[in-house]
């Protein structure tokens, strides 16, 4: 019995090494690990990566956490990719600090690790980061809102609809960018809610969905019903906030701005629900990431960050049909062409 | 012989010194046991007192900002979804079960209503009926697995939670149907969002539906045979069966009712957020259990009043809005709700001793 087991184990091991060796010889393989496979943003990311991988003849395996924040599954995915002999990993981390040791393990195994969308903590834990400049995304809508209000900006009453109480970096960057763009002094730029400006009515959290957006807006309206500027973390939250405003008949005299550039969101800009939104490009992040892995597999060249930044900036555009002086923007029509989800 | 006979018949003579009153429970004297007894006989009283106290405290702290018809009816609007789901959860918990799939059933039902209307062009009233049927069917599967296959409710609904949520994402492709489109083509889907304004007070049909639902369930549970059977099955399924109750039928009916109510919550959800969004309501299972526990319904079944869950949901709503108006960090809300949950169970245990 013991002999049989040992024999089987040996045979399996030989088979496994053989298979692994074969896959090494066959093609470059890459992994894409996202937070979830249900969020349209990550769906689009996967589409972009798959298309590029096919074009370059790279074998792509996709993994995703079960829910946002599912760190455990992501670690398992990295381990699977190491065992699989992948050349590169594209990773959108759920837990930006805790994932670092697993990422280090992969890099030690000679795998190129690129963080997509969400920088790791610290950012240089990955070989490169391909992401939207979230601070800039916030700054664009902040500048737009201030210019739109003109002199009234000095008396604005602003509601801040943020992501979550844990203050994830993406949410903080957008929030602080907006405030800076609007001309409000930041307290600690790494955290929201410590600003002293009288114009801010308050912050509330939305979890980035419609339900949370509506509730947060109602809470802040109860605090001050004369709110006239609403910053939202993303477009579903903005849609929820709009419903709250509509229920008290104020939907037409409040300026809502947002970030993301998903197709329903851009459509909401067209319909006047949202004044302006900053659009990001998940498809580009993923396809650039696959290109970088291909280059790494071929010549061992690592991707370089955008000049003056510690990550590769995949760009952001302000989408609005009401452009203002001094803030570059694209039309809704153009935004619709480039939208995702 | 006569001596023994008279002695034998003499056994009652000692009774002359005994008390002549009828057997009764021993009443403990003093205020505390009295209060405890009162609370024991009306289980919804504790959450009601906490609710009134918290409204008074926030009213004093915040004045008219909080203690206005606008703010107070706003709380009703904000808790309507959790409230409706908590009604469903209460029924299941009364049978000593737990339903972890409530939020998922709610979302899937709303997605069915939306997608049937917009993907297949089915008229909205029919789509809504399909959505309600979908929720009831999910409930039936839960109930069948619990009653007939004899699986623990926790396991069954844990599995169903994942199955239903995955079905929801696969079926909808996580696509949001925008509020503008629904308003233009199928306003009936937003029916529960209709607002009735009375002065500063603003009530939605959804909030009114929630209140009527609780009154209806309170009537059903207290005044009908079915209601007493639900309590009996929750208290002790075997003795309920021995006394002639068809426990399995009662269980299945409870889970079906829960599924149906969740589907109504899904309809109300569309009214509240305007759009059909597959990512909504993912925490509804935990929030509904929170409301039920704060409302004083025993997790071990067979004890508590359904109105308590309404008060439980409202307490959470009052705390959330009150603390936000005070400008407190949102974390404080979670912290205090945690304290409330533990406090509620502690009070429940203390009251229980009134009968011990």
């Amino acid at each position: 019995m013991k002999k049989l087991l040992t024999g089987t184990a040996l045979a399996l091991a030989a088979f496994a090494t053989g298979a692994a060796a074969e896959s090494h010889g066959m093609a470059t393989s890459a992994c894409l690990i996202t937070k979830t496979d249900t969020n349209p943003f990550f769906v689009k990311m996967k589409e972009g990566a798959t298309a590029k991988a096919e074009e370059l003849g790279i074998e792509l395996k996709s993994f995703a956490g079960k829910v946002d924040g599912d760190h455990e599954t992501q670690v398992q995915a990295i381990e699977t990719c190491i065992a699989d002999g992948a050349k590169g990993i594209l990773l959108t981390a759920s837990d930006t600090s805790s994932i670092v040791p697993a990422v280090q393990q992969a890099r030690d195994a000679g795998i190129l690790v690129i963080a997509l969308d969400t920088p790791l903590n610290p950012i240089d834990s990955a070989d490169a980061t391909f992401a939207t400049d979230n601070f800039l995304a916030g700054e664009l809508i902040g500048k737009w809102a201030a210019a739109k209000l003109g002199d009234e900006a000095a008396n604005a009453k602003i509601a801040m609809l943020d992501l979550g109480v844990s203050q994830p970096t993406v949410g903080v960057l957008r929030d602080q960018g907006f405030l800076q763009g609007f001309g409000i002094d930041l307290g600690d730029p790494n955290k929201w809610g410590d600003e002293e400006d009288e114009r801010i009515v308050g912050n509330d959290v939305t979890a980035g969905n419609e339900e949370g957006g509506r509730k947060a807006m109602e809470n802040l309206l109860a605090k001050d019903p004369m709110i006239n500027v609403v910053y939202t973390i993303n477009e579903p939250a903005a849609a929820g906030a709009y419903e709250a405003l509509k229920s008290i008949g104020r939907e037409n005299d409040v300026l809502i701005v947002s970030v993301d550039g998903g197709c329903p969101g851009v459509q909401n800009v067209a319909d006047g629900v949202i004044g302006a939104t900053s659009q990001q490009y998940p498809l580009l992040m993923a396809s650039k990431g696959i290109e970088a892995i291909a280059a790494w597999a071929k010549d061992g060249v690592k991707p370089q960050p955008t000049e003056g930044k510690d990550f590769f900036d995949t760009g952001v555009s302000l989408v609005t049909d009401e452009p203002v002086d001094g803030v570059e923007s694209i039309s809704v029509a153009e935004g619709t062409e480039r939208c995702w989800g | 012989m006569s001596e023994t006979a008279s002695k034998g018949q003499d056994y009652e003579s000692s009774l002359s010194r005994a008390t002549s009153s009828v057997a009764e429970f021993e009443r403990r004297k003093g205020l505390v046991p009295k209060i405890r007894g009162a609370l024991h006989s009306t289980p919804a009283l504790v959450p009601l007192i906490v609710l009134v106290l918290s409204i008074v405290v926030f009213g004093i702290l915040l004045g008219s900002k909080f203690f206005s018809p606008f703010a107070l009816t706003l709380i009703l609007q904000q808790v309507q979804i959790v409230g409706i789901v908590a009604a469903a959860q209460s029924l299941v918990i009364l049978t000593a079960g737990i339903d972890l799939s409530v939020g998922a059933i709610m979302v899937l039902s709303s997605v069915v209503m939306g997608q049937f209307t917009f993907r297949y062009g089915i008229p909205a009233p029919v789509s809504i009926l399909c959505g309600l049927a979908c929720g009831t069917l999910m409930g039936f599967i839960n109930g069948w697995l619990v009653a007939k296959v004899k699986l623990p409710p926790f396991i069954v609904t844990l599995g169903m939670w994942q199955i239903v949520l995955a079905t929801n994402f696969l079926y909808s492709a996580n696509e949001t149907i925008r509020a503008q489109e629904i308003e233009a083509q199928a306003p009936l889907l937003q029916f529960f969002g209709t607002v009735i304004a009375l002065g500063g007070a603003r009530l939605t049909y959804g909030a009114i539906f929630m209140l009527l639902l609780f009154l209806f369930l309170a009537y059903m549970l207290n005044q009908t045979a079915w209601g007493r059977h639900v309590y009996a099955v929750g208290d002790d399924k075997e003795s309920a069966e021995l006394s002639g109750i068809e426990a399995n039928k009662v269980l299945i009916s409870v889970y079906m009712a829960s599924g149906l109510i969740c589907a109504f919550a899904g309809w109300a959800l569309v009214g509240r957020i305007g759009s059909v969004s597959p990512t909504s309501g993912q925490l509804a299972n935990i929030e509904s259990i929170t409301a039920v526990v704060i409302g004083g319904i025993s997790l071990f079944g067979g004890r508590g009043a359904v109105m308590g869950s309404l008060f439980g949901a409202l307490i959470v709503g009052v705390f959330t809005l009150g603390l936000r108006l005070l400008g407190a960090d949102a974390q404080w809300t979670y912290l205090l709700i945690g304290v409330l949950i533990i406090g509620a169970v502690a009070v429940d245990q203390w009251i229980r001793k009134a009968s011990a």
Side-chain angles (χ1 to χ4, degrees):
Chain A
M1 186 67 195
K2 212 171 186 180
K3 254 186 193 165
L4 181 68
L5 275 180
T6 328
T8 319
L10 278 175
L12 272 177
F15 178 74
T17 2
E22 207 176 340
S23 82
H24 270 297
M26 209 172 69
T28 308
S29 78
C31 291
L32 172 70
I33 306 170
T34 52
K35 289 184 193 173
T36 67
D37 51 15
T38 52
N39 183 331
F41 186 84
F42 299 124
V43 172
K44 207 67 190 176
M45 204 175 243
K46 193 169 153 185
E47 262 177 50
T50 311
K52 197 52 148 185
E54 250 170 51
E55 187 190 321
L56 299 178
I58 290 176
E59 191 192 339
L60 181 73
K61 293 198 172 71
S62 302
F63 301 84
K66 289 191 270 292
V67 292
D68 205 330
D70 182 3
H71 168 66
E72 185 71 32
T73 306
Q74 292 199 322
V75 172
Q76 277 175 16
I78 292 181
E79 287 164 353
T80 311
C81 295
I82 298 174
D84 194 41
K87 274 287 168 194
I89 296 175
L90 303 176
L91 169 71
T92 309
S94 274
D95 187 327
T96 50
S97 333
S98 309
I99 200 88
V100 169
V103 167
Q104 191 54 47
Q105 220 184 320
R107 292 177 71 186
D108 290 344
I111 299 174
L112 181 77
V113 181
I114 298 176
L116 294 188
D117 174 63
T118 311
L120 298 189
N121 187 11
I123 193 164
D124 59 6
S125 311
D127 290 297
T129 304
F130 288 13
T132 306
D133 187 336
N134 280 299
F135 191 87
L136 180 64
E139 206 174 6
L140 284 171
I141 53 174
K143 277 185 182 161
W144 182 87
K148 192 83 197 139
L149 289 174
D151 294 341
E152 275 306 296
N155 313 315
K157 285 178 184 277
I158 307 169
M160 302 293 294
L161 304 194
D162 292 296
L163 189 55
V165 284
S166 62
Q167 304 214 0
T169 47
V170 174
V172 174
L173 286 168
R174 289 180 190 178
D175 171 307
Q176 299 287 295
F178 167 84
L179 293 176
Q180 174 138 319
F182 200 86
I184 286 171
D185 290 333
L186 306 180
D188 178 352
N190 296 316
K191 119 181 219 220
W192 51 253
D194 62 340
E195 298 81 17
E196 313 245 297
D197 201 299
E198 296 268 300
R199 288 176 286 178
I200 301 174
V201 171
N203 297 67
D204 207 339
V205 295
T206 63
N209 63 36
E210 288 88 348
E211 207 182 353
R214 169 149 195 180
K215 193 168 184 183
M217 190 70 231
E218 286 170 345
N219 290 348
L220 292 174
L221 281 171
K223 216 167 170 186
D224 187 341
M226 294 326 290
I227 286 167
N228 61 356
V229 179
V230 181
Y231 154 87
T232 56
I233 177 71
N234 66 5
E235 288 135 8
Y242 183 79
E243 289 300 315
L245 288 164
K246 205 165 90 177
S247 85
I248 59 162
R250 292 207 54 224
E251 73 270 27
N252 293 323
D253 43 84
V254 175
L255 207 54
I256 304 180
V257 289
S258 195
V259 178
D260 245 4
C263 295
V266 173
Q267 189 59 41
N268 274 346
V269 177
D271 291 349
V273 170
I274 301 173
T277 193
S278 283
Q279 187 169 46
Q280 44 177 353
Y281 300 103
L283 214 136
L284 190 67
M285 287 173 203
S287 57
K288 287 272 179 206
I290 294 288
E291 279 175 12
I293 292 175
W296 165 254
K298 197 161 157 255
D299 314 312
V301 184
K302 283 191 187 180
Q304 291 304 310
T306 306
E307 212 177 302
K309 296 183 181 176
D310 48 5
F311 61 97
F312 183 92
D313 189 352
T314 50
V316 58
S317 313
L318 185 74
V319 180
T320 183
D321 271 342
E322 302 168 63
V324 294
D325 283 342
V327 190
E328 206 178 308
S329 62
I330 62 173
S331 68
V332 168
E334 203 177 328
T336 309
E337 257 170 48
R338 302 170 71 182
C339 73
W340 46 268
Chain B
M1 192 184 157
S2 67
E3 210 185 341
T4 43
S6 69
K7 256 190 181 170
Q9 281 157 1
D10 201 30
Y11 57 85
E12 282 193 0
S13 65
S14 61
L15 282 178
S16 59
R17 274 166 292 148
T19 157
S20 60
S21 62
V22 187
E24 61 174 17
F25 288 111
E26 191 184 330
R27 296 245 175 236
R28 278 170 231 168
K29 298 260 161 61
L31 193 60
V32 174
K34 246 187 195 162
I35 293 173
R36 193 149 82 177
L39 296 178
H40 181 73
S41 52
T42 26
L45 210 55
V46 180
L48 182 61
I49 292 169
V50 175
L51 177 63
V52 171
L53 276 181
S54 50
I55 292 177
V56 169
V57 169
F58 281 115
I60 293 169
L61 288 174
L62 289 159
S64 63
K65 215 186 236 182
F66 181 85
F67 208 70
S68 64
F70 178 81
L72 293 178
T73 47
L74 177 63
I75 293 169
L76 276 176
Q77 287 185 49
Q78 292 192 334
V79 303
Q80 61 179 317
I81 306 296
V82 174
I84 295 171
V85 176
Q89 188 71 262
S90 310
L91 288 180
V92 175
I93 288 182
L94 280 175
T95 67
I98 196 155
D99 193 341
L100 296 172
S101 61
V102 282
I105 294 178
M106 167 179 82
V107 176
L108 181 63
S109 304
S110 77
V111 163
V112 164
M113 292 175 194
Q115 295 287 355
F116 274 33
T117 310
F118 287 87
R119 200 188 288 179
Y120 312 129
I122 296 171
V126 180
S127 301
I128 288 166
L129 286 177
C130 294
L132 297 177
C134 165
T136 317
L137 174 70
M138 300 292 128
F140 171 76
I141 298 173
N142 275 336
W144 185 79
L145 288 170
V146 168
K148 299 282 184 177
V149 192
K150 312 263 181 241
L151 299 178
F154 187 92
I155 307 291
V156 168
T157 57
L158 182 70
M160 279 301 277
W161 172 24
Q162 315 230 17
I163 295 169
V164 175
L165 210 56
T167 309
N168 162 52
F169 284 129
L170 290 172
Y171 177 62
S172 67
N174 203 2
E175 195 179 273
T176 301
I177 302 171
R178 293 167 59 247
Q180 287 73 19
E181 272 143 26
I182 296 175
E183 203 177 333
Q185 291 172 45
L188 188 64
L189 284 175
Q190 295 176 340
F191 172 77
F192 281 117
T194 317
V195 177
I196 305 173
L198 296 162
R202 304 178 59 79
L203 278 170
T204 56
Y205 284 1
I208 295 168
F209 174 79
M210 171 184 76
L211 297 175
L212 292 178
L213 175 69
F214 271 101
L215 290 175
F216 174 72
L217 288 180
Y219 169 80
M220 288 297 285
L221 285 168
N222 294 323
Q223 307 293 332
T224 67
W226 178 79
R228 302 325 297 173
H229 291 174
V230 170
Y231 275 99
V233 170
D235 200 34
D236 189 339
K237 187 173 173 230
E238 274 170 30
S239 51
E241 267 167 352
L242 288 174
S243 55
I245 295 171
E246 290 182 275
N248 286 346
K249 272 194 185 166
V250 173
L251 273 179
I252 293 177
S253 72
V254 163
Y255 280 91
M256 284 175 76
S258 164
L260 177 64
I261 295 170
C262 291
F264 270 105
W267 188 5
L269 181 71
V270 181
R272 172 145 171 89
I273 64 176
S275 47
V276 172
S277 161
T279 45
S280 301
Q282 302 208 11
L283 287 177
N285 51 359
I286 300 299
E287 288 171 346
S288 66
I289 295 170
T290 302
V292 172
V293 170
I294 295 179
I297 295 185
S298 167
L299 281 175
F300 311 107
R303 230 192 118 261
V306 69
M307 289 310 272
S309 299
L310 174 63
F311 302 140
L314 286 171
I315 290 169
V316 174
V318 166
F319 268 67
T320 313
L321 186 68
L323 286 170
R324 296 309 289 139
L325 288 182
L326 282 174
D329 191 292
Q331 292 286 13
W332 286 104
T333 320
Y334 302 138
L335 191 147
L336 280 169
I337 288 168
V339 171
L340 271 179
I341 293 173
I342 294 174
V345 177
V347 170
D348 188 52
Q349 290 296 327
W350 176 73
I351 294 170
R352 230 166 238 259
K353 287 188 190 146
S355 61

